[in-house]
């Protein structure tokens, strides 16, 4: 079984050049003396805790040590900790993106939601652009995708990696995301081995069948290789998950998906994610119209606390009940759901007691600023009579919870992240509030939800490691990365355009 070796990754000169360590950018004698502090004391900040009581604290200190929040109080003694002035700043939990296809990041603006061409998303994105990615493209895409998510306030992500067409690509995808330093889950999709490539002709029906067919033998074996190689530690911020096949859109049986779910559980995947819209039947494939994913999986006793779906707009109340009773979770895109006939599931999921988060879903098509997606969650709750009744009972902190405390619960990490509390992992954002457009009055939640943007993020910590300072990502050269992204785009778009689909 083939994997990307060290020599192959060293050929990624661009990627190696853009994410630099202190030893690479400082003189050798200086670099040898530079060690990241093990403790930080954020002094005199305003704290949007997002804890169970949604408390807001003022002129308060936070002590971070060994990756954890160890104290929250006034006038904490610094000891050996590096002091970070928090005057005029807001500390909040790092945000959580519960559903994203990270590999699409370097394709930004090729297909956008505001274009009529977006109706060809599956054909051009999954059947063409993803197919012509090289392993080097995929490593770079995952790396830059993770880094850009961090830069936009996301510290944990559920990456639905539906681009693993070969062992080399699987290795590159896992390594790229892990090297970015982001937390969450890398969810290995156990299917899709294209029989074609650049310059080939294939029927649309055949290409679609290859996406949706049952997992290949090599996928099932390679998933364990990736787990052991990159995700052997249960304490690392980024963990191993499984992305299940698109059973709703394909001629799959419950028994065939049972095999995938059993495999995921045998692999020890803490999270298994699956695309489920909730519409009965299929979209031009071969499923009977009475077929329901959640209902059928519930009847087969396959749901559980490790089962996580994306989208879910058309889930029935009974199906939300099945998810609640089995401990299941949802992360639905918000901007991405706007064009669909049914409103996003967030309001009904909250009412049913199902943990629900938000996600960008398609970074090639939508803004990466996660504060914009938080606001979109609010506007989405005004769509439909049921949601409209629910939103009238909510406050700003409730909306922010989709990206923080509730979002953490929706990916089974609420014991670690999602709120600013003693004992939690130190995944934190520090926001500046000194620009004119950031109002000085109002609750912290009101101000953040309605007025914060990516450029307000002054500092970021993931597991106690500071990865952003003074508004800049540490050791990341964005101009060089953008130039490399543009170069890869040109070749990927050219090769994708060379594939001819018939029928």
């Amino acid at each position: 079984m083939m994997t990307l070796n060290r020599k192959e990754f060293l050929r990624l000169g661009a990627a190696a050049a853009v994410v630099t360590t202190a030893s690479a950018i400082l003189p050798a004698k200086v670099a040898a003396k530079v060690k990241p502090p093990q403790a930080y004391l954020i002094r005199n900040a305003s704290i949007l805790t997002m804890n169970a009581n949604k408390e807001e604290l003022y002129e308060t200190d936070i002590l971070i040590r060994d990756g954890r929040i160890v104290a929250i109080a006034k006038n904490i003694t610094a000891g050996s900790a590096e002091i970070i002035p928090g005057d005029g700043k807001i500390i909040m939990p790092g945000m959580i993106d519960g559903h994203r296809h990270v590999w699409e990041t370097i394709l930004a603006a090729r297909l956008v939601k505001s274009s009529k061409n977006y109706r060809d998303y599956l054909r051009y994105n999954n059947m063409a652009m993803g197919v012509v990615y090289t392993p080097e493209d995929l490593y770079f895409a995952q790396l830059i995708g993770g880094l850009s998510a961090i830069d936009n306030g996301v510290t944990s992500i559920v990456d639905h990696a539906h681009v693993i067409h070969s062992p080399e690509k699987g290795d590159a995808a896992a390594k790229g995301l892990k090297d970015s330093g982001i937390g969450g889950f890398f969810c290995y999709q156990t299917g899709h081995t294209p029989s074609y490539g650049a310059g080939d002709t294939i029927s649309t029906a055949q290409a679609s069948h290859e996406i949706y067919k049952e997992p290949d033998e090599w996928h099932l074996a390679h998933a364990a290789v990736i787990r052991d190689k990159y995700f052997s530690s249960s304490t690392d911020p980024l963990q191993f998950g499984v992305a299940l096949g698109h059973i709703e859109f394909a001629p799959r049986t419950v028994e065939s998906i049972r095999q995938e779910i059993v495999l995921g559980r045998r692999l020890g995947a803490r999270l298994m994610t699956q695309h489920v819209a909730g519409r009965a039947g299929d979209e031009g494939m071969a499923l009977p119209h009475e077929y329901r994913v959640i209902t059928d999986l519930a009847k087969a006793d396959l749901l559980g606390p490790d089962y996580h779906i994306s989208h879910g707009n058309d889930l029935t109340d009974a199906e939300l009940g099945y998810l609640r009773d089995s401990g299941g979770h949802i992360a639905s895109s918000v901007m991405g759901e706007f064009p669909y006939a049914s409103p996003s599931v967030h309001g009904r999921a909250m009412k049913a007691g199902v943990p629900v988060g938000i996600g960008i879903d398609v970074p090639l098509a939508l803004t990466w600023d996660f504060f914009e997606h938080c606001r979109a969650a609010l506007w989405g709750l005004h769509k439909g009579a049921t949601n409209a009744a629910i939103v009238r009972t909510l406050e700003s902190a409730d909306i922010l919870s989709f990206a923080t405390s509730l979002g953490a619960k929706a990916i089974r990490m609420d014991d670690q992240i999602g709120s600013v509390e003693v004992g939690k992992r130190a995944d934190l954002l520090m926001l500046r509030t000194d620009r004119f457009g950031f109002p000085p009055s109002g609750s912290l939640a009101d101000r953040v939800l309605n007025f914060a943007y990516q450029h307000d993020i002054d500092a970021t910590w993931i597991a106690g490691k500071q990865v952003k300072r003074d508004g800049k990502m540490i050791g990341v050269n964005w101009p060089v990365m953008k130039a490399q992204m543009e170069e890869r785009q040109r070749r990927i778009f050219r090769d994708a355009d060379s594939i001819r689909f018939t029928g």
Side-chain angles (χ1 to χ4, degrees), residues 25-64:
I25 61 176
L26 297 175
K29 291 183 179 179
V30 177
K33 297 178 181 178
V34 174
K35 292 184 179 180
Q38 297 300 305
Y40 296 91
L41 178 61
I42 303 172
R43 179 79 79 188
N44 205 40
S46 298
I47 306 173
L48 178 58
T49 68
M50 294 307 300
N51 63 15
N53 296 321
K54 297 183 174 65
E55 292 178 279
E56 299 188 353
L57 309 176
Y58 297 87
E59 298 177 347
T60 301
D61 303 344
I62 302 174
L63 181 61
I64 302 168

Side-chain angles (χ1 to χ4, degrees), residues 96-136:
I96 296 145
D97 184 319
H99 178 63
R100 190 184 300 206
H101 304 295
V102 176
W103 67 272
E104 297 178 7
T105 303
I106 65 170
L107 305 176
R110 183 62 168 181
L111 289 173
V112 294
K113 286 280 188 175
S114 55
S115 170
K116 64 183 180 181
N117 294 327
Y118 193 79
R119 70 189 66 175
D120 291 326
Y121 167 84
L122 183 67
R123 181 187 65 80
Y124 198 67
N125 187 66
N126 298 70
M127 296 181 186
M129 291 191 291
V131 168
V132 302
Y133 264 48
T134 66
E136 291 83 2

Side-chain angles (χ1 to χ4, degrees), residues 74 79 133 179 245 315 326 328 340 360 371 412 424 462-463 493:
K74 294 182 182 293
Y133 264 48
D179 285 354
L315 293 177
S326 62
Y340 303 133
I360 286 181
F371 290 112
R412 303 189 73 194
K424 289 285 185 80
I462 298 178
F493 298 161

Side-chain angles (χ1 to χ4, degrees), residues 207-467:
S208 179
H209 172 73
E210 291 179 4
I211 285 178
Y212 292 132
K213 72 175 186 177
E214 296 181 8
D216 307 278
E217 291 277 340
W218 75 260
H219 272 108
L220 302 180
H222 191 246
V225 173
I226 292 299
R227 177 203 62 195
D228 294 343
K229 184 173 182 179
Y230 295 113
F231 306 104
S232 59
S233 171
S234 62
T235 59
D236 285 350
L238 189 66
Q239 294 291 305
F240 175 78
V242 168
L244 300 169
H246 306 302
I247 188 172
E248 189 171 42
F249 308 130
R252 299 281 302 279
T253 64
V254 172
E255 183 55 38
S256 72
I257 207 71
R258 176 196 293 275
Q259 295 173 19
E260 279 191 77
I261 292 175
V262 169
L263 170 73
R265 288 175 176 151
R266 286 177 180 170
L267 287 169
R270 183 168 169 77
L271 194 79
M272 294 184 292
T273 189
Q274 186 169 44
H275 286 115
V276 178
R279 293 184 287 274
D282 61 25
E283 293 190 345
M285 301 296 282
L287 292 174
H289 285 284
E290 67 272 12
Y291 182 80
R292 303 286 312 187
V293 174
I294 300 303
T295 298
D296 284 86
L297 294 182
K299 289 178 179 177
D301 198 27
L302 290 174
L303 300 178
D306 52 2
Y307 185 74
H308 172 276
I309 70 167
S310 53
H311 304 296
N313 299 35
D314 291 293
L315 293 177
T316 66
D317 290 344
E319 288 167 332
L320 288 172
Y322 290 139
L323 285 173
R324 178 197 61 227
D325 295 343
S326 62
H329 315 83
I330 303 174
S332 183
S333 106
V334 278
M335 287 187 184
E337 310 303 329
F338 267 60
Y340 303 133
S342 300
S344 78
V345 74
H346 293 89
R348 292 195 305 120
M350 287 184 81
K351 183 178 179 181
V354 180
V356 59
I358 63 175
I360 286 181
D361 186 11
V362 283
L364 87 165
L366 297 168
T367 177
W368 302 340
D369 188 334
F370 214 65
F371 290 112
E372 293 279 24
H373 291 269
C374 293
R375 285 186 278 274
L378 170 62
W379 309 135
L381 285 172
H382 288 275
K383 185 178 178 183
T386 301
N387 276 347
I390 294 169
V391 74
R392 286 194 290 270
T393 69
L394 303 179
E395 298 287 348
S396 294
D398 298 308
I399 306 301
L400 284 174
S401 74
F402 291 133
T404 56
S405 53
L406 191 58
K409 191 172 184 180
I411 67 168
R412 303 189 73 194
M413 283 190 166
D414 53 309
D415 60 331
Q416 297 290 317
I417 59 175
S419 60
V420 185
E421 298 181 80
V422 172
K424 289 285 185 80
R425 197 168 80 201
D427 286 15
L428 303 172
L429 305 181
M430 173 184 279
L431 309 183
R432 294 180 59 125
T433 64
D434 55 346
R435 66 175 172 84
F436 181 76
F438 204 120
S441 61
S443 73
L444 300 181
D446 286 348
R447 294 161 68 196
V448 169
L449 176 64
N450 293 283
F451 297 98
Y453 288 92
Q454 182 269 346
H455 54 255
D456 295 317
I457 304 172
D458 188 58
T460 302
W461 288 263
I462 298 178
K465 178 182 178 182
Q466 189 168 19
V467 294

